[in-house]
């Protein structure tokens, strides 16, 4: 039986004879079902029409995306640690070339994902490399292809390897997670942020939203909590969810000033918008 993939969000569902009736990830206020209606593909069909591409972001950090752009269009990141390679976030296509390249680099020790929009075909990846998937338990309800490889974690932090820590920030999703990489950016530290901390096109600010496509904000306390949770961690570079969404320097200061800017706007009295 095929494991159908939602064309809009890229989530792979448990194998079924017929396509699922709906995608709960898209049929929810953070995402959307397009006007053309719910549509599905399969991993096999996707592998015929698409292929994966690679970009070395820095030493020990490889971006893996899909061409042409598929679904939300995020790229995954392969992070080399003292214990082996961690895949951060995931994509819907795992083609033969990607399996061969990742195996030649030593395979994986695990997969960690920021939030359900990037669960993608995580079970395909976990099976191919025989590794666990670390998901925050706060998002358990959004797993569309349950599998023994999925390991839920609780609390605010989970160390994955030397200098590699998952931090549950919440916000966009209850279990929204970022990855702090202490050795990144030549030892100055890097934050792999998914879109829990959203890198903006101008790269001078980040933002935080409940829904990006539907422009729905978070509350001030939720954004302040993200700032407080990241406060103990130094980082210079922020790797967002797409190849080009990278804050190259001053990442920590940019997050903190963005929290202040966001909270001032959301708590404002309306007078600033008339000046
Ligand atoms: Zn969907």
């Amino acid at each position: 039986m095929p494991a159908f993939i939602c064309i809009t969000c890229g989530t792979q569902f448990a194998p079924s004879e017929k396509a699922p009736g709906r995608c709960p990830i898209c049929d929810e206020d953070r995402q959307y079902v397009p006007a053309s209606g719910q549509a599905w593909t399969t991993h096999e069909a996707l592998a015929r029409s698409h292929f994966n591409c690679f970009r070395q972001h820095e030493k020990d950090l490889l971006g893996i995306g899909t061409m042409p752009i598929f679904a939300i269009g995020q790229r995954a990141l392969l992070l080399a640690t003292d214990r082996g390679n961690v895949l951060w976030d995931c994509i819907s296509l795992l083609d033969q070339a990607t399996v061969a390249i990742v195996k030649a680099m030593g395979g994986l020790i695990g997969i960690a994902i920021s939030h359900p929009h990037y669960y993608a075909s995580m079970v395909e990846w976990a099976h191919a490399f025989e590794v666990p998937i670390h998901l925050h338990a706060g998002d358990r309800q959004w797993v569309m292809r349950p599998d023994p490889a999925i390991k839920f974690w609780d609390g605010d932090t989970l160390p994955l390897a030397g200098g590699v820590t998952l931090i549950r920030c919440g916000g966009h999703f209850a279990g929204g997670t970022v990855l702090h990489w202490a050795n990144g950016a030549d030892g100055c530290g890097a934050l792999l942020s998914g879109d829990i901390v959203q890198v903006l096109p101008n790269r001078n600010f980040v933002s935080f939203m409940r829904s990006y496509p539907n422009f729905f904000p978070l509350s001030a306390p939720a954004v302040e909590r993200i700032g407080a949770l990241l406060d103990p961690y130094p980082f210079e570079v922020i790797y967002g969810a797409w190849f080009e969404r990278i804050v190259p320097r001053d990442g920590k200061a940019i997050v903190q000033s963005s929290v202040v800017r966001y909270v001032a706007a959301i708590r404002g009295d309306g007078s600033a918008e008339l000046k």
Side-chain angles (χ1 to χ4, degrees):
M1 289 191 292
F4 285 93
I5 295 172
C6 171
I7 281 178
T8 307
C9 69
T11 304
Q12 188 182 50
F13 284 59
S16 57
E17 297 266 353
K18 294 194 326 192
R22 57 187 275 271
C23 172
I25 306 250
C26 286
D27 196 6
E28 198 252 347
D29 72 346
R30 280 168 281 210
Q31 254 282 110
Y32 61 94
V33 177
S36 53
Q38 177 66 47
W40 303 94
T41 186
T42 63
H43 194 258
E44 293 70 27
L46 191 62
R48 286 194 294 272
S49 55
H50 291 67
F51 58 91
N52 285 345
C53 58
F54 301 82
R55 172 176 278 182
Q56 193 80 43
H57 285 297
E58 63 172 278
K59 181 178 176 294
D60 296 335
L61 192 70
L62 181 74
I64 309 174
T66 296
M67 291 296 293
I69 295 290
F70 176 71
I72 295 172
Q74 78 277 8
R75 58 104 175 77
L77 289 163
L78 187 80
L79 172 63
T81 78
D82 58 349
R83 290 184 44 220
N85 298 319
V86 171
L87 188 77
W88 169 247
D89 279 334
C90 200
I91 55 177
S92 301
L93 176 61
L94 177 60
D95 58 14
Q96 289 181 359
T98 305
V99 173
I101 289 166
V102 172
K103 284 191 171 169
M105 294 176 69
L108 299 177
I109 59 164
I111 300 168
I113 304 181
S114 60
H115 72 295
H117 291 156
Y118 301 159
Y119 287 176
S121 295
M122 60 182 175
V123 172
E124 297 279 344
W125 287 74
H127 289 179
F129 300 106
E130 300 181 67
V131 292
I133 306 165
H134 304 286
L135 302 181
H136 197 277
D139 292 334
R140 183 189 292 264
Q141 72 186 102
W142 301 109
V143 171
M144 296 297 132
R145 185 178 177 183
D147 191 89
I150 298 171
K151 311 293 181 196
F152 292 104
W153 62 281
D154 277 305
D156 284 345
T157 60
L158 179 71
L160 277 189
V164 177
T165 308
L166 300 182
I167 306 161
R168 183 269 194 111
C169 288
H172 181 40
F173 270 84
T177 297
V178 300
L179 185 153
H180 181 255
W181 178 29
N183 295 333
D186 293 326
C188 296
L191 193 71
L192 282 51
S193 69
D195 54 16
I196 303 308
V197 173
Q198 180 74 271
V199 175
L200 303 180
N202 70 12
R203 310 199 297 180
N204 295 320
F205 285 99
V206 296
S207 196
F208 319 88
M209 297 282 269
R210 174 173 172 83
S211 173
Y212 296 98
N214 301 321
F215 301 113
F216 198 79
L218 288 173
S219 66
V223 173
E224 288 173 330
R225 187 164 56 228
I226 294 170
L229 283 161
L230 295 180
D231 197 48
Y233 299 92
F235 52 91
E236 190 73 10
V237 177
I238 307 172
Y239 292 99
W242 292 271
F243 280 113
E244 73 279 11
R245 293 292 182 100
I246 298 169
V247 171
R249 65 189 69 83
D250 296 330
K252 178 69 171 287
I254 283 173
V255 167
Q256 300 300 3
S257 63
S258 299
V259 168
V260 170
R261 182 179 83 136
Y262 191 104
V263 168
I266 206 92
R267 286 203 174 123
D269 61 6
S271 59
E273 289 83 356
L274 292 176
K275 284 178 185 159

